[in-house]
Amino acid sequence: MTVQLLVTDRNLNVLGDPITGWTKLAADLNFNAPASGSVELPARQEVMELLQPGNRMVVLRDQEIWCAGPIEVPQDPYTWDLASNAGVGTVTARFSDDLARVAGYVTYPEPSKTFANQTKTSDVVRKISATAAEQIIRTLVTENCGPGALAARRIEHLALDTVAGVGSAQWLSTRFEPLLDACRKAAVTDGLGFRTRQVGDQILFGVYEPRDLTGTARFSAGLGNLRSVAFTSGAPLATSELVMGGNDPADDPPEGDPAYQRAYVEVTSGQHADWWRVEKFIEKGGVDDDSEGELSQAGRLAFGNDKATASLSTVTVDTPDLKAGRDYGLGDLVAVVLPTGLEIADVVQSIGLAAEPDSGELVTTVVGNNDKTTMTRMVWTVRDLAYRLGQLEGRGRG
């Protein structure tokens, strides 16, 4: 395995020669979120000249791009110490992938107009309805920072990747919302993924459907590719989302005007049968009825944070038989066999590359989420795991 570092300008032109002499590299790719990377370098003049605002870092692994994107912190920090005979000193550069550029935008209600010229007389939202989730995400990106955006908002060389034809029909309303938040909202129902990748002189933004690889991508202590596992669980924050639509109360006319009736929708998770009823009130302004399912979707999205919680996090490593990027990728569903014998399936959330010239490289994968996740299957998995561990502990004390 070989790792190579290049620096380009914002137009993807390679600057100088490949960087040599680096001592420590880490580059973590994340599902539906920008990457996070850092590299420790000798602070030679030619290196410092490359680490400038606007430039990009490209990490190649076996001649293929692992991560490519903006250098977010060019020099963090630069250090030199006379006592340690440090020579020119060292500098650490922190970088991301090109999805970080997309993350820097918000959704304009009227993308064809500048911010100063957005409609001032009404609370306009950007509404995309009755189309596939993939198309919604592609539309959001192209009209806010891609080829269809205002010239001042376009990301250099950003283009849309090949259509994957994935995602169910839905709607989305957004107004000055972080662009990636709006994309995640459209992706969550179908579990879609989105990413950027550099191909030639283009940065391609695409949407994809993660795969179910539980039959082929498996991790366990016996296979030598499972390093750690941890879990927690907890009660739901809400079992009934009470969604109210309608206009801003300050704009209400005299009581009884039929044009200003409120709309009320209750969305239940069914988890009150296992726990107890917990209600949460949500106000969805600007939506007068549920004819397009907007109020119902607001309730379903709220359950993303409010269902019974379970956090299951595992860390795996590459082996010759199972490698990240080759055999599975971000968002794919993989299988993990815990030391207790319990087998679970969960999503690949992060893939990290760590490399040092003397000790080689290590690729680790985070399956599951370090934060609390609310997927029902995860809740039952954690309950089963807790029960089995309890039984083992009980036999041990006996």
Side-chain angles (χ1 to χ4, degrees):
M1 298 293 178
T2 58
V3 175
Q4 190 176 44
L5 300 181
L6 301 174
V7 174
T8 77
D9 62 18
R10 64 176 67 246
N11 290 309
L12 312 190
N13 299 308
V14 176
L15 305 176
D17 298 320
I19 295 178
T20 60
W22 56 272
T23 54
K24 186 179 297 184
L25 169 75
D28 296 341
L29 309 179
N30 301 309
F31 182 52
N32 288 357
S36 175
S38 66
V39 60
E40 187 177 286
L41 303 159
R44 301 190 301 264
Q45 180 178 348
E46 65 270 23
V47 172
M48 301 297 279
E49 290 175 351
L50 295 175
L51 303 181
Q52 298 298 321
N55 287 346
R56 300 167 64 254
M57 184 74 70
V58 179
V59 179
L60 297 170
R61 184 191 185 207
D62 293 337
Q63 303 303 311
E64 294 186 358
I65 295 178
W66 174 270
C67 179
I71 301 175
E72 296 184 308
V73 185
Q75 300 171 25
D76 179 32
Y78 164 75
T79 60
W80 178 86
D81 185 349
L82 177 63
S84 62
N85 191 28
V88 295
T90 61
V91 63
T92 298
R94 305 192 184 279
F95 57 91
S96 185
D97 60 10
D98 290 304
L99 198 59
R101 293 286 306 275
V102 179
Y105 288 76
V106 298
T107 58
Y108 278 19
E110 298 170 290
S112 62
K113 298 179 180 179
T114 65
F115 179 74
N117 290 316
Q118 298 291 304
T119 298
K120 302 175 177 63
T121 57
S122 62
D123 192 19
V124 176
V125 298
R126 177 67 172 101
K127 189 170 185 177
I128 309 172
S129 61
T131 188
E134 177 189 13
Q135 188 57 48
I136 290 176
I137 297 170
R138 290 169 64 92
T139 297
L140 287 169
V141 170
T142 192
E143 69 185 17
N144 283 288
C145 63
L150 295 172
R153 302 186 75 205
R154 292 176 197 159
I155 295 175
E156 300 88 351
H157 299 274
L158 180 65
L160 294 181
D161 210 335
T162 304
V163 174
V166 297
S168 58
Q170 57 181 278
W171 61 266
L172 182 135
S173 294
T174 182
R175 178 178 183 271
F176 298 125
E177 180 180 12
L179 178 53
L180 283 195
D181 285 357
C183 291
R184 293 187 193 102
K185 192 161 59 176
V188 68
T189 299
D190 300 304
L192 300 181
F194 50 82
R195 62 194 168 198
T196 56
R197 60 192 186 102
Q198 180 180 333
V199 179
D201 61 353
Q202 287 187 311
I203 299 169
L204 298 180
F205 176 91
V207 182
Y208 66 98
E209 185 173 49
R211 302 161 294 176
D212 184 344
L213 300 178
T214 50
T216 57
R218 302 174 63 81
F219 301 91
S220 72
L223 292 173
N225 56 14
L226 181 63
R227 298 191 67 181
S228 66
V229 61
F231 73 92
T232 61
S233 64
L237 299 177
T239 62
S240 291
E241 304 287 356
L242 309 177
V243 187
M244 182 183 75
N247 297 276
D248 190 311
D251 298 332
D252 281 355
E255 185 175 354
D257 187 332
Y260 286 82
Q261 294 294 322
R262 292 289 190 182
Y264 299 93
V265 173
E266 179 177 353
V267 183
T268 62
S269 66
Q271 292 191 337
H272 62 277
D274 296 325
W275 298 88
W276 47 79
R277 182 178 177 88
V278 184
E279 300 175 343
K280 179 179 176 181
F281 175 75
I282 300 173
E283 187 169 5
K284 182 72 173 175
V287 181
D288 298 330
D289 58 51
D290 200 35
S291 59
E292 294 182 347
E294 295 180 71
L295 300 180
S296 295
Q297 187 179 40
R300 290 193 296 270
L301 288 173
F303 281 132
N305 294 320
D306 294 339
K307 286 183 180 179
T309 57
S311 173
L312 180 58
S313 173
T314 64
V315 177
T316 70
V317 294
D318 262 7
T319 65
D321 296 326
L322 188 61
K323 293 186 177 182
R326 185 190 71 185
D327 303 310
Y328 64 91
L330 292 172
D332 287 339
L333 193 67
V334 299
V336 180
V337 181
L338 303 182
T340 61
L342 179 65
E343 181 174 325
I344 63 169
D346 208 348
V347 170
V348 175
Q349 295 288 348
S350 178
I351 302 175
L353 169 66
E356 297 181 12
D358 295 334
S359 57
E361 67 176 45
L362 176 66
V363 175
T364 60
T365 300
V366 175
V367 179
N369 200 324
N370 288 321
D371 298 324
K372 290 185 176 179
T373 182
T374 57
M375 290 180 284
T376 301
R377 60 182 171 80
M378 286 299 305
V379 173
W380 284 107
T381 295
V382 168
R383 288 182 188 174
D384 191 8
L385 176 58
Y387 172 78
R388 293 192 186 194
L389 291 177
Q391 294 293 94
L392 290 172
E393 290 177 2
R395 286 198 296 270
R397 287 193 298 269

